[in-house]
């Protein structure tokens, strides 16, 4: 039982980080109709820049993380401004292919700059653990959950209540309407990319914290969070979070139980399991869990 | 400097080699309601798009309240007091009517709109003021009972009115309406006519309205401008303009022995072929 409780806490924390990654995908896709395959690069960038700030320069960890997230957000806005906007008149797959190119190049740049070593990012949690109701959980998991809850709550207020949040929702629904209402759509697009890249970078910091370290394969976490985006149907903000939690729990529970109860599945089945869940969901509900299926006409 | 709210001079718009507007002139005085009529493809919606900046002209000038807005991005034109409604009734489906109206007021909302939540009194008062304006506009247009309803579930007639209310919530200088009564029942259309007349008459914006229903156009406007193939072919009172040879086949149809005019739902007295 305590084993299950420990795995659930770990899975929920991992799922929270995945939820932030998925949210980043959704914010960008909703605003500009582009799936940004370079999210993994921003994710890794957030972790490595935090390592530089906190370890190399000795900054206070939250400040280093905030600077890293802000720098990644700036890179996201730059990608929108310099690449995506220029392709806006083309079909969306042109911009999507461009983001794949940026991801490939970006990952090379990251290994050029930071090499193949694993860098602890200087977070205060390390390998320490807490006892919660008789269950020992990693401090970093609690910290990840707390950060996720705060960010999601702030995001919900932003989108529901602020002038800019309203502008972003209008832009996502209908760009022509938004611009006719006086909303500077180009600025809103750049902001959406900055937010999306910033969310990925923040998730990167959380995923590299504790004993995980900033490492060359960190960016792959964006692909592991991808089933969460599919579950959310690319459009739903709460869906991205729930999808993230599902993916995190499935991954951790499979990693915890499959080797004992079903060793014939192999040692890396936990990396495949979220995709299996995604395929089942797509088979049953092709539009995703959180979006209405459009009526079929034929 | 002239006192006109809108001056369009020689506006030219090409769509990939097709000339949609071919040197259109249009002047609208404060408080005036001008109707645009003409057959499909005459350039009516393109003229609205060209004025509000959604389409960039290839020649000519657009001046709003003495300020040259030619080639300005649409959000900058909106900031100078140009508001419009769309033929396709574009509301944000996920948002309730109040939020859609606040969207129309975007140019008036302060950057601190969020802070009302955090208890900062001055900003909360400002937010209350914006909401009160939206309530007033909604009630004027007759959708005051729908403020908390998501746009996606509104009946069509209400959607059309909310679209109008959103444009009015901007408190524009110049209001561009693209078929505000299309698809409405005659009595609903009459209500929209009365609202537009009322708004323009009470020191409100100058209005340019595109509509296919001649009865609506005649009831709503002071003056009608007829377009055909991207050119102004006639201007004057609705009935006289509709009888122009270039438009007669669109609005009146061939006059049949004993048959009335076709196209207009219920022609007003004096309307129709002489």
């Amino acid at each position: 039982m305590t084993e299950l409780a420990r795995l659930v806490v770990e899975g929920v924390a991992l799922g929270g980080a995945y939820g932030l990654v998925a949210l980043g995908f959704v914010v960008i896709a909703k605003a500009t109709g582009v799936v940004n395959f370079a999210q993994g690069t921003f994710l890794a960038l957030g972790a490595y820049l935090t390592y530089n700030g906190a370890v190399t320069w000795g900054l206070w960890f939250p400040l280093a993380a905030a600077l890293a997230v802000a720098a990644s957000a700036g890179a996201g806005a730059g990608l929108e401004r310099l690449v995506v906007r220029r392709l806006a008149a083309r079909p969306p797959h042109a911009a999507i292919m461009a983001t794949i190119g940026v991801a490939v190049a970006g990952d090379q740049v990251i290994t050029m700059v930071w090499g193949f070593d694993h860098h602890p990012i200087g977070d205060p949690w390390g390998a320490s653990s807490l006892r919660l109701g008789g269950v020992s959980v990693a401090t970093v998991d609690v910290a990840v959950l707390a950060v996720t809850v705060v960010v999601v709550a702030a995001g919900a207020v932003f989108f529901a209540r602020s002038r800019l949040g309203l502008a972003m929702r209008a832009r996502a629904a209908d760009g022509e309407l938004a611009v006719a209402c006086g909303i500077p759509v180009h600025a809103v697009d750049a902001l959406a990319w900055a937010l999306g890249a910033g969310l990925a970078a923040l998730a990167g910091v959380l995923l590299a914290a504790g004993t995980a370290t900033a490492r060359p394969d960190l960016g792959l976490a964006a692909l592991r969070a991808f089933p969460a985006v599919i579950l959310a149907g690319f459009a739903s903000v709460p869906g991205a979070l729930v999808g993230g939690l599902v993916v995190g729990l499935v991954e951790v529970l499979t990693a915890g139980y499959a080797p004992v109860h079903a060793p014939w599945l192999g040692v890396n089945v936990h990396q495949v399991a979220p995709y299996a869940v995604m395929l089942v969901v797509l088979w049953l509900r092709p539009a995703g869990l959180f979006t209405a299926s459009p009526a079929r006409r034929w | 400097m002239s006192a006109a709210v809108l001056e369009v001079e020689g506006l030219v718009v090409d769509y990939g080699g097709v000339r949609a507007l071919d040197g259109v002139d249009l002047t609208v005085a404060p408080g005036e309601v001008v109707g645009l009529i003409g057959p499909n493809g005459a350039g009516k919606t393109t003229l609205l798009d060209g004025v509000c900046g959604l389409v960039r002209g290839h020649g000519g000038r657009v001046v709003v309240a003495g300020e040259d807005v030619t080639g300005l991005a649409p959000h900058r034109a909106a900031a100078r007091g140009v508001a419009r409604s769309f033929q396709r009734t574009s509301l944000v489906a996920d948002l309730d009517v109040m939020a859609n109206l606040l969207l129309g007021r975007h140019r008036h909302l302060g950057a601190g709109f969020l802070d009302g939540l955090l208890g900062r009194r001055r900003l909360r008062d400002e937010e209350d003021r914006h909401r009160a304006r939206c309530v007033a506009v909604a009630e004027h247009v007759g959708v005051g009972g729908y403020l908390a309803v998501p746009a996606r579930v509104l009946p069509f007639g209400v959607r059309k009115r909310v679209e109008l209310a959103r444009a009015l919530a901007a408190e524009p200088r110049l209001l561009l309406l693209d078929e505000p009564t299309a698809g409405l029942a005659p009595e609903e259309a009459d209500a929209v006519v009365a609202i537009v007349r009322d708004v323009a008459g009470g020191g409100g914006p100058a209005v340019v309205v595109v509509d296919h229903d001649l009865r609506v156009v005649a009831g709503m406007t002071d003056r009608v401008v007829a377009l055909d193939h991207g050119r102004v072919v006639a201007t004057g009172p609705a009935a006289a303009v509709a009888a122009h040879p270039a438009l007669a086949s669109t609005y009146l149809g061939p006059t049949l022995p004993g048959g009335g005019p076709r196209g207009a739902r219920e022609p007003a007295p004096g309307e129709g072929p002489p």
Side-chain angles (χ1 to χ4, degrees):
Chain A
M1 216 34 225
T2 55
E3 169 72 354
L4 177 63
R6 190 184 63 76
L7 290 176
V8 167
V9 171
E10 191 185 333
V12 169
L14 182 65
Y18 283 165
L20 293 181
V21 179
L23 207 54
F25 275 110
V26 169
V27 166
I28 290 174
K30 272 192 89 154
T32 56
V34 174
V35 181
N36 177 22
F37 281 100
Q39 286 293 83
T41 307
F42 294 128
L43 190 150
L45 196 61
Y48 280 109
L49 288 176
T50 303
Y51 154 74
N52 272 145
V55 177
T56 316
W57 302 335
L59 296 177
W60 184 47
F61 177 75
L63 176 64
L67 289 176
V69 169
S72 307
L79 178 57
E80 192 280 332
R81 181 71 188 82
L82 297 176
V83 179
V84 177
R85 194 181 304 174
R86 301 178 74 89
L87 298 172
R90 307 248 190 150
H93 56 249
I96 293 170
M97 290 308 293
T99 68
I100 294 176
V102 169
V104 171
D107 292 346
Q108 297 308 312
V109 170
I110 281 175
T111 48
M112 267 168 57
V113 174
W114 285 284
F116 293 90
D117 294 337
H118 293 200
H119 300 290
I121 61 169
D123 63 273
W125 307 302
S128 67
S129 61
L130 296 169
R131 289 200 73 77
L132 290 179
V135 182
S136 172
V137 296
T139 315
V140 64
D141 287 346
V142 177
V144 167
L145 265 179
V147 170
T148 304
V149 168
V150 168
V151 168
V152 167
V157 171
F158 171 75
F159 280 110
R161 302 278 304 187
S162 75
R163 174 183 191 249
L164 211 48
L166 194 61
M168 289 187 73
R169 292 176 70 176
R171 193 276 175 267
D174 185 337
E176 204 163 79
L177 162 69
V179 77
C181 287
I183 292 164
V185 163
H186 286 322
V188 169
D189 287 354
L191 178 71
W193 279 71
L195 269 181
L199 282 166
L202 178 63
V205 174
L206 298 178
L207 288 168
T211 54
T213 74
R215 56 194 187 278
D217 65 348
L218 190 63
L220 294 178
L223 289 184
R224 288 209 301 283
F226 207 71
V229 185
I230 303 287
L231 294 177
F234 269 110
S236 163
V237 167
L241 289 165
V242 175
L245 290 178
V246 169
V247 170
L249 277 170
V250 168
E251 185 175 322
V252 170
L253 291 176
T254 311
Y257 289 116
V260 182
H261 299 286
W264 47 271
L265 284 170
V267 289
N268 280 328
V269 66
H270 64 278
Q271 296 193 356
V272 185
Y275 284 92
V277 172
M278 177 186 84
L279 287 175
V280 171
V281 168
L282 285 183
W283 183 50
L284 296 173
R285 282 188 62 96
L289 285 179
F290 295 88
T291 40
S293 301
R296 276 174 62 164
R297 308 178 66 90
W298 51 266
Chain B
M1 203 182 89
S2 81
V5 175
L6 173 67
E7 292 165 278
V8 177
E9 290 169 16
L11 189 63
V12 174
V13 172
D14 290 323
Y15 285 133
V18 178
R19 184 141 289 196
L21 290 183
D22 191 7
V24 169
D25 298 322
L26 176 68
T27 303
V28 183
E32 195 182 15
V33 183
V34 174
L36 290 180
I37 64 171
N40 286 329
K44 305 182 294 293
T45 296
T46 303
L47 181 51
L48 297 190
D49 287 346
V51 168
C52 77
L54 278 175
V55 165
R56 200 163 288 197
H58 298 83
R61 277 189 348 131
V62 179
V63 178
V64 172
E67 194 175 356
D68 194 331
V69 299
T70 315
L72 230 48
H75 68 271
R76 296 192 192 283
R80 283 157 178 77
V82 180
R84 72 168 291 170
S85 73
F86 290 92
Q87 187 181 348
R88 57 194 158 86
T89 60
S90 45
L91 300 175
V92 180
D94 290 344
L95 296 177
D96 62 20
V97 169
M98 172 60 91
N100 272 285
L101 299 188
L102 283 169
L103 189 60
R105 283 190 76 74
H106 183 86
R107 76 186 182 107
H108 298 292
L109 303 182
F113 194 60
L114 172 70
D115 297 339
L117 197 72
L118 308 175
R120 287 166 60 183
R121 192 185 167 89
R122 190 179 62 76
L123 295 162
R124 194 162 47 199
D125 288 350
E126 191 192 325
E127 180 172 339
D128 287 346
R129 201 167 50 75
H130 287 302
R131 289 182 185 273
R133 285 297 308 149
C134 291
V135 170
V137 170
E139 280 169 357
H140 188 186
V141 177
V143 295
Y146 293 93
L147 283 166
V149 179
R152 71 165 78 254
V153 301
L154 295 175
F156 180 77
V158 178
R159 289 179 61 91
K160 282 305 262 196
R161 286 186 187 211
V162 174
E163 175 90 8
L164 174 63
R166 191 199 59 227
L168 287 173
E171 297 180 32
R173 271 191 185 120
L174 174 64
L175 177 62
L176 310 174
L177 300 176
D178 199 350
E179 304 210 13
T181 71
L184 295 184
E187 55 275 20
E188 289 178 308
D190 287 343
V192 170
V193 169
I195 292 161
V196 172
R197 284 260 43 130
D198 192 32
V199 167
V207 181
V208 179
V209 55
V210 172
D211 211 295
H212 277 294
D213 187 338
L214 263 191
R215 196 181 56 97
V216 164
V217 174
M220 198 185 285
T221 59
D222 302 306
R223 181 162 64 91
V224 167
V225 172
L227 294 176
D228 189 32
H229 293 99
R231 290 171 180 273
V232 174
V233 292
T235 178
V241 170
H244 188 277
L247 302 165
S249 65
T250 303
Y251 286 98
L252 306 174
T255 308
L256 303 172
R262 228 167 20 90
R265 263 187 224 121
E266 273 181 311
E271 212 177 72

